[in-house]
Amino acid sequence: MKERQVVRAVVLDVRGRVLLLHSRDLSRPHIGTWWELPGGGLDPGESHQDAIIRELAEEAGLTVTAAQVGAPTWRRNSTFLYRGERRLNHEVVVPVRLAVDAPDVDGAGQVDFEAEDYFGFRWWPVGEVVASAEVFYPGPLPRLLVPFLDGEPIDEPFERWS
């Protein structure tokens, strides 16, 4: 099992739409696809703020500043299988507010596995996330998105995603 410290972001454009990456695990095509919050593991000595700035640049080609990254008010632990390996993530979720309207996502900085896993993106209105029957990671995103955006601290119970 690989245990990691992870940061994810609810990235909001100026119109309040949320960036989600369309993802898959090519080693497990039978589980289908899902929409996930951008983010990833912290490098040794890296803060959650530095990690999400780096991850957004790598995964989406977005340049954000530390001033755009909010506090990690959503905490969660999750486990899932990924490319044949069990992962245990200790995650925080931060808001990231952009001053522009739905910037293009550029995956040119993605590492090899990200380029295989992420095959699309979408800027979702919050209400559509809340009402959607799609699969999301984190799984309870539709239920917890509005409380998170309202500033409520969230200490989510353990999620066994797959």
Side-chain angles (χ1 to χ4, degrees):
M1 180 183 310
K2 182 173 185 176
E3 191 169 1
R4 316 183 310 153
Q5 299 296 319
V6 172
V7 61
R8 297 199 176 275
V10 173
V11 180
L12 297 159
D13 75 354
V14 73
R15 292 176 35 194
R17 292 175 295 179
V18 178
L19 174 63
L20 294 172
L21 304 177
H22 210 186
S23 191
R24 62 187 168 206
D25 180 346
L26 292 177
S27 71
R28 301 175 64 219
H30 62 282
I31 67 171
T33 65
W34 61 91
W35 293 93
E36 72 180 58
L37 294 175
L42 277 68
D43 289 338
E46 192 174 40
S47 71
H48 73 270
Q49 189 177 63
D50 291 338
I52 201 60
I53 290 169
R54 175 183 51 76
E55 288 287 345
L56 289 174
E58 288 175 5
E59 292 179 355
L62 298 178
T63 301
V64 299
T65 66
Q68 292 171 287
V69 179
T73 59
W74 181 352
R75 299 184 184 284
R76 64 190 312 271
N77 293 299
S78 69
T79 187
F80 52 89
L81 285 172
Y82 177 69
R83 295 181 176 233
E85 177 182 67
R86 172 73 46 199
R87 297 255 172 121
L88 174 60
N89 282 358
H90 306 289
E91 298 184 0
V92 296
V93 181
V94 298
V96 173
R97 298 187 187 276
L98 305 179
V100 295
D101 184 21
D104 286 335
V105 172
D106 176 4
Q110 293 176 345
V111 296
D112 293 342
F113 69 88
E114 291 169 338
E116 292 174 357
D117 295 349
Y118 302 136
F119 62 95
F121 74 94
R122 180 176 165 206
W123 289 95
W124 289 66
V126 170
E128 287 184 23
V129 174
V130 170
S132 179
E134 295 278 345
V135 177
F136 294 94
Y137 184 86
L141 181 64
R143 178 174 51 83
L144 296 177
L145 181 58
V146 171
F148 173 74
L149 294 175
D150 286 345
E152 293 181 28
I154 297 170
D155 190 8
E156 184 186 334
F158 187 81
E159 178 183 21
R160 184 178 178 99
W161 197 80
S162 69

